[in-house]
Amino acid sequence: MASSTRPRAAAKAPPPEGVLVLEEFLPYRLNVLATIVSQGFARLYSERFGISIPEWRVIAMLGQHRTLTSKAIGERTHMHKTMVSRAVTDLERHGLLSRLANRADKREAFLSLTDAGRRIYAEIVPLAHDYAARLTAELSDADRAAFDRIVSLLRERSDIVFMSERNDGVTG
Amino acid sequence: MASSTRPRAAAKAPPPEGVLVLEEFLPYRLNVLATIVSQGFARLYSERFGISIPEWRVIAMLGQHRTLTSKAIGERTHMHKTMVSRAVTDLERHGLLSRLANRADKREAFLSLTDAGRRIYAEIVPLAHDYAARLTAELSDADRAAFDRIVSLLRERSDIVFMSERNDGVTG
DNA sequence: TATTGTTATACTCTATAACTATA
DNA sequence: TATAGTTATAGAGTATAACAATA
């Protein structure tokens, strides 16, 4: 088929067989980018408001939805229930969150932000929008839309790939 | 310019002022995606070969470049020197890596994979290529190229945004 | 029996600080 | 004085298991 001298777009040469160029490997690239981006954002609120990433996620959920149970927060944020429990305890201790026992099912409680919690939320939200805007300032509208779409696709796809691995040993 | 009734692509309504939709927030989305993707890949090699993510990164670097110092590995992989040191020690203990002292500067050593290390590398590389291929199987070539380009852009941009924060308190 | 949530515990990755041995 | 690398230690974030209270 292709001769060994077929023209290439003068770009980079393909790596030799059996070699992986780590800097081009998707999981690695995503990991580095996500770490820098999310640590950069965490720095904006962690020192100023004394809250951790899990606490921020709980605040963000309750700012967005007003009232949720711990279980619902865990499901929506991919946080383990132990992390949610600890974050909720800490936020309550600092007066940013209040619990209201569900009288219809006393195992769970409805969580919501206190006034103090809402004030912090109201301060962080513009920081968040501004941070995302600065990060994507050099992207065209088309690029931004494409990136959102592709991240969503990869996110769905990663679940499928993840689960197909899980079943590798089971289907035999 | 635009009237308040300009047509919208029947997509989602914009969120109310002062609210952040966490599921649409870039740092959060990147974090969730990267965690799932890189854990999914780690699962492919960690149990089978008994190596951690930092160890894999060292192996990947030495598979790609044959010989590097610990410092060079740290710079290329964004790993802290303490992590590199520990990963190198473990890999050496398991016979996957060897050190050759630099006689011109005895503080450092040239690291390279042993035959056993190269065998593991040679087994993981196809797993890596296959994993990335499965993950991006549903993307068009154009999407794949766009995603690579945008990730690179965001990566550069994140350094700039990160550093501009660093200087916030200094320029006053 | 199953589910919500808590606590104890441990593991991974990361980071700081103090150190050594070189340069 | 500065640099390459090691070790001790601590801090996030995550996960497992055992448990209490409730359904």
Side-chain angles (χ1 to χ4, degrees), chain A residues 9-163:
Chain A
K12 44 195 175 226
E17 188 72 20
V19 168
L20 180 77
V21 181
L22 192 61
E23 306 92 286
E24 297 173 3
F25 184 49
L26 187 67
Y28 173 77
R29 281 159 62 82
L30 276 177
N31 214 16
V32 171
L33 177 63
T35 299
I36 292 174
V37 164
S38 96
Q39 281 181 356
F41 178 58
R43 209 171 51 186
L44 287 181
Y45 61 75
S46 62
E47 287 178 22
R48 203 179 315 189
F49 304 107
I51 59 177
S52 65
I53 291 177
E55 286 169 298
W56 153 245
R57 286 183 179 174
V58 171
I59 289 177
M61 277 293 113
L62 294 177
Q64 185 180 337
H65 295 107
R66 305 249 352 147
T67 292
L68 292 170
T69 63
S70 285
K71 180 184 162 82
I73 291 175
E75 283 166 354
R76 288 164 187 268
T77 58
H78 308 94
M79 287 167 70
H80 197 269
K81 64 178 182 174
T82 55
M83 283 310 306
V84 177
S85 172
R86 258 173 272 254
V88 165
T89 300
D90 289 345
L91 288 171
E92 189 184 30
R93 185 162 51 224
H94 290 96
L96 305 180
L97 175 152
S98 64
R99 310 186 202 224
L100 179 65
N102 178 6
R103 288 202 293 175
D105 183 344
K106 289 193 200 158
R107 291 174 303 181
E108 65 185 14
F110 298 123
L111 310 173
S112 50
L113 295 178
T114 61
D115 287 348
R118 267 189 291 276
R119 277 197 295 276
I120 283 183
Y121 178 74
E123 284 192 72
I124 296 180
V125 165
L127 292 180
H129 285 309
D130 179 64
Y131 183 77
R134 275 185 292 149
L135 210 54
T136 58
E138 285 176 356
L139 298 186
S140 67
D141 286 351
D143 275 355
R144 229 164 303 189
F147 191 71
D148 279 348
R149 181 173 49 79
I150 296 169
V151 168
S152 295
L153 265 172
L154 289 175
R155 180 66 189 75
E156 289 168 34
R157 186 72 192 165
S158 65
D159 278 339
I160 296 169
V161 173
F162 203 76
M163 289 202 293

Side-chain angles (χ1 to χ4, degrees), chain B residues 19-37:
Chain B
V19 169
L20 179 78
V21 182
L22 192 61
E23 306 90 287
E24 298 173 1
F25 184 48
L26 185 67
Y28 173 77
R29 281 161 61 82
L30 277 177
N31 215 14
V32 171
L33 177 63
T35 299
I36 292 172
V37 165

Side-chain angles (χ1 to χ4, degrees), chain B residues 88-114:
Chain B
V88 165
T89 299
D90 289 345
L91 289 172
E92 188 184 31
R93 185 161 50 223
H94 290 96
L96 305 180
L97 173 152
S98 64
R99 309 187 202 222
L100 179 65
N102 177 7
R103 288 205 291 173
D105 183 346
K106 290 195 200 154
R107 291 174 304 184
E108 65 184 16
F110 297 123
L111 310 173
S112 50
L113 295 178
T114 60

